[in-house]
Every structure is written in structure tokens, then in C-alpha cells.
Amino acid sequence: MKTLPQIPFDFIEPEKDNEEASPSVAVGVRIKSIKAAQEKIAPLSPPQEIKSRRGRRPLKQLEQEAELMEVPEDEVLFRKQYYTIGEVAKMFNVNPSLIRTWENEFDIIEPRKNRKGDRYFRPVDVKNLLLIHQLIRKQKYTLEGAKDYMKKNKKAAERFALIQSLQKIKTFLVEIRANL
């Protein structure tokens, strides 16, 4: 954007001749030179880019956010009978709208709804959401690809539970190794 030169004005008071009784007052205006005004103007710094939070996020950022989910262990998870959509969204560190989208897309998620329409997820639904989150966010499946995977692999949930338990055993063994 090209900046237009500014023209500064100096207001000059008229010379007073011993005519204090004159009713008219004249004010003079003198225009300073444009070059002098341009010299005084500091050069504009280029506008800093403000990163928007809208739109698609980079894959690295999505991977980092996928690691931040805080789904409790099974013992803690099954202590409570129902979880609200807000609680589930906080567990997965996503917006509630994404949980609603996954609910509409996948048949294995069936939350209970009260008369008001609030969704209440059972611990089994949370475990199924964990599987869907794993497929979509970590393994980079599309929604259609994740649906196909779930249809073709009927025992995908069991396989996923087995993989999770093996990962827990691995972290336990790595901790023991580090303490030696």
C-alpha cells in the first residue's frame, strides 16, 4: 500500500497593529514544503503477519495435539457411568463439534440422549472414540477410510485394546530399564 505524503500546516498569528478595537481577526496559514514533511516521516515497517487460528492446521501441529489427549485408565474410566460431551472433548483435547461429527459418521458410537438432547457417553463409547481418534489423528485415515477399516476388521476394537496393553507394558519395561 502506497502512503500518500502528508502536508503539514503552520498557523501564523497576524501581526498586531495598534488596532485592538478591530472586530475582525485574520489567521494566516503557511504550507510547509512536502519534501521536509516526507523527511520527518519514519519509514514504515512491513506489516507483521498475524497467524490465523482458522483453516487447516499443519500435520505436525495435529500430531502434537493428538499426543495431548488425557483419556483415563480403564479403572478410572469405568467408575463413572456417563460422561457429557464436554468431558469427552476435554479428554481428547478436541472441540465438541468434532465428537458430534464422529458420532454421526460412525455407528459404533451411540450416546444416550435426554429429553433436552444432551449427549451422555458411556465408557464403552469413550473407548470406541479412542479407537476412532487413533485411526484418524495418529494413523491419518480419512473418515471414509476409518469407516472401511472398522467394517472390514470387526475385531478392530479388540486388536486396538491389545496394542494399547502392549504399549503400556513397553513403557513399564522402559521405566524399569531406566531405573537400573
Side-chain angles (χ1 to χ4, degrees), residues 50-165:
I50 299 172
K51 293 191 176 186
S52 174
R53 300 203 67 182
R54 300 182 71 173
R56 296 188 93 170
R57 289 177 284 181
L59 288 176
K60 288 182 181 178
Q61 184 180 1
L62 285 175
E63 289 174 5
Q64 290 171 352
E65 289 174 2
E67 299 297 326
L68 296 177
M69 61 178 197
E70 300 170 359
V71 179
E73 299 293 324
D74 287 347
E75 299 85 34
V76 179
L77 185 68
F78 282 92
R79 285 185 192 161
K80 202 171 172 182
Q81 200 170 16
Y82 293 104
Y83 292 93
T84 63
I85 192 166
E87 292 172 332
V88 174
K90 283 182 185 176
M91 285 181 199
F92 289 100
N93 196 24
V94 295
N95 290 332
S97 61
L98 183 62
I99 303 292
R100 284 191 293 273
T101 302
W102 288 350
E103 174 210 340
N104 292 332
E105 294 291 330
F106 296 95
D107 296 333
I108 61 170
I109 303 170
E110 297 174 352
R112 306 272 188 231
K113 292 185 182 179
N114 62 8
R115 291 180 183 169
K116 190 175 157 186
D118 297 337
R119 292 168 172 84
Y120 291 101
F121 293 88
R122 295 170 297 160
V124 175
D125 293 328
V126 175
K127 296 295 280 184
N128 289 333
L129 280 170
L130 188 61
L131 172 62
I132 293 168
H133 186 270
Q134 174 76 22
L135 290 173
I136 293 175
R137 291 293 167 101
K138 292 186 179 177
Q139 294 181 4
K140 306 292 187 239
Y141 278 78
T142 61
L143 284 176
E144 293 299 320
K147 281 183 199 176
D148 291 341
Y149 180 84
M150 300 286 273
K151 285 180 185 176
K152 289 178 183 176
N153 301 318
K154 298 286 183 183
K155 297 181 181 180
E158 293 174 11
R159 190 177 298 159
F160 179 68
L162 179 65
I163 291 171
Q164 276 193 324
S165 64

Side-chain angles (χ1 to χ4, degrees), residues 7-26:
I7 303 173
F9 295 97
D10 278 344
F11 292 95
I12 306 167
E13 296 207 17
E15 295 180 21
K16 293 184 180 179
D17 295 328
N18 293 329
E19 298 176 24
E20 293 180 15
S22 79
S24 66
V25 177

